[in-house]
Amino acid sequence: MSKKPSATIEQKPNASSTSHGKAPINAALTQAQKIELFSQMVRIRRFEERSHRAYTGKNAAGGANIGGFLHLYNGQEAIAVGCCSLMGKHDHVITAYRDHGHAIAVGMDTKALMAELYGKVTGCSKGKGGSMHFFSPERNYWGGHGIVGGQIPLGVGLAYGVKYKGHKGSAMAFMGDGAVNQGAVHEAYNLAALWNLPCIFVIENNGYSMGTSQARSSAGELAKRAEAYGMAWGVCEGHDVYEVRATMDKFLKIAREECKPAVVEIRTYRYRGHSVADPDNTYRTKTEIEDYRRTKDPIQVFQTALIAEGVLTAESAEKIDEAARAEAEAAADFADASPYPTPEDIQKDVYWESDNPDQRTSQGRLFFN
Amino acid sequence: MSQLTYREAVRHALAEELTRDPNVVVMGEEVGQFQGAYKVTQGLLEKFGPKRVADTPISEAGFIGMGIGASMLGVRPVMELMFWSFYSVAFDQILNNAANVRYMSGGQINCPIVIRGPANGGTNVGATHSHTPENILAAHPGVKVVVPSTPYDAKGLLKSAIRDNDPVFFLENTVLYGEKGEVPDEEYLIPLGKADVKREGKDLTIVTYGRPVIQSLVAAELLAKEHDISVEVVDLRTIRPLDIDTVLASVRKTHRVLVVEEQKPFCGVGAQLTYMIQAEAFDDLDAPIGRLCTIDAPAIYSPPVEVEQLPNPQRILKAALALLD
Ligand SMILES: Cc1ncc(C[n+]2csc(CCOP(=O)(O)OP(=O)(O)O)c2C)c(N)n1
Ligand SMILES: [Mg+2]
């Protein structure tokens, strides 16, 4: 039977397991690199909190600063940061609509991200994609996708591309615990296993798909489904960035060296509602959220570990936090001051050919109004 | 009469049909415990129990296909797509199975399934969540397509859809869910395939459906007040079957037509309509048929710009004035 991870959270003190800190991939980290991991997690948290305020507040014109959906990553920071910190030149990332954390972890500019949320032309997708559709191909970040499970075959395609071009690399295809039940995911698993493609399917298991717990949506164990396709699989805890890195490093090496896919389930928790518009109280208790925050908050856990290692002090951690708040505020100011796209922009970026008319080879009308 | 929201009207139709016919079941993502992503199914699980109201995993191809299969055995599933935009995940089931199985079996099988959910832009949810597939669905003989614009229509049409013996695709609108309107307290049905003249006029006919009906009524009011132009607004309500007779009768009265749709223009519902109007009422037309659509590009996110991409009262007004020049 599948377990309901959120209901079985152990009450552990705030300490990162030192055994994972000693894993070679983590032992090799310099102090500066450790601080960088920590500050990335803090920057994600502060970015999300600032965007939440912008979503619920009003702009000068009395409207909302951010429209549509806003799926926040609070609580899951160690996953994006841990995984993306392992990326080399030919490692690629793709994820679903809960995509802000990965975007920051691959190094995207928070100003452009916030401007995208505000629907501004200075946004990373020129205001066309919104919260669910962040992209940065130059950082090997392929989005940001709104259809549950739809990004997973694309991830296999990235792995195929890496292999086809003869690169030593991989694709990490992220999805939620609800997405594992989409047919496209299973077709993608089979292709990756059958064709030996270097794709790591990362299930960020936060216990719920919207208001549905894992136990109510999925038969069997999530990662173990890999066995049906002859794929390797693993499970790890997502509140400990060291553990995430140690686990993912193992599978990424196999992917890069042997062109083998794997499924990795990373257990985590989301603090906020499914999206900002969805209230929490119908499907989980306040205590459940508070228990996780108290015992497994990924930022707290890492901060405690780094202080114990002598890498951070309470004061230096506070400075990092202040800088992250200031950065998020500056991003909001930038977004606020930026212009919106114009109605003329609506029909730009539709076709490569209409954006590059001097190189057009097809004939006839492309647009119909 | 009661004042009900569109959301409540849909919910009442579901509750009444669940009560009337033990074969009716409601399924979809978050329809039960979570009370519906848009709270349309609120209270139904409590009232009818988990056998009749079931939460599905996020597996549109699987559960929509399952509903179609069950309908072949006489279960009458009303399946919710959280957004119609997710129909693409279940496209094969919807079009190859629901639409074709009757034909391929030489009429031995029918699929009394309803698939319902919102299909609209206007809430800044971007290109993947803003599809309006009524034209794509209606392009397949064997299916019926309904797009109600008011609470009254939504309730009466959904009840008919659930009783219909063919697959019916019922396209709602998240922007309209909170809109209120008069709904009779006693039971009523609205037949599929019957258009409704929402406003009478003599200078111009606007043919439309879904949310643009509401916007066209706003534009018609402005045209009357500010330009002394009398507009008739014909709400198709059902795309297939299509009540072309009501449309033609209006055209013969006003001699000018503007088709308004929240669709991209290419092969949209309006393309079929304008063809039929010119084929059957050419001599009655005093001007080329006008057409106002969503601007031809994927749905833009940027909130203030999305308003301009979609039909809106100002765009409708301009298009109407251009026709009357
Ligand atoms: C095909 C499809 N069906 C339904 C949805 C609506 N939806 C968006 S997110 C979501 C829940 C997904 O949960 P999970 O995969 O666990 O990811 P999480 O939100 O927890 O990160 C649902 C049902 C969608 N976007 N796409
Ligand atoms: Mg989840």
Side-chain angles (χ1 to χ4, degrees), chain A residues 97-98 146 148 176-179 182 206 208-209 274, chain B residues 29 60 86:
Chain A
Y97 44 83
R98 201 176 298 285
V148 169
D177 49 289
Q182 281 290 30
N206 58 18
Y208 296 93
S209 47
H274 168 70
Chain B
E29 292 156 20
E60 285 84 0
F86 310 151

Side-chain angles (χ1 to χ4, degrees), chain A residues 66-69 116-117 119 127-130 132-133 146-148 178 181-182 209-212 216-217 278 282-283 340-343 346-347 350 366-369, chain B residues 30 33-34 37-38 55 57-60 82-83 85-86 89 123-129 265-266 293-305 308-309:
Chain A
I66 300 176
F69 294 136
E116 187 60 32
L117 299 181
K128 291 186 163 168
M132 302 193 284
H133 306 115
I147 297 295
V148 169
N181 299 313
Q182 281 290 30
S209 47
M210 286 190 76
T212 305
R216 293 204 304 119
S217 69
D278 297 300
T282 53
Y283 59 92
Y340 286 109
T342 64
I346 292 173
Q347 286 184 310
V350 179
L366 286 171
F367 293 99
F368 294 88
N369 51 10
Chain B
E30 309 290 352
Q33 276 194 24
F34 197 69
Y38 287 96
D55 284 318
I58 311 170
S59 311
E60 285 84 0
M82 193 179 286
F83 283 79
S85 280
F86 310 151
V89 176
T123 60
N124 327 127
V125 288
T128 53
H129 283 55
F266 197 88
C293 304
T294 296
I295 291 174
D296 199 14
I300 194 166
Y301 158 68
S302 187
V305 191
E308 297 307 318
Q309 184 174 13

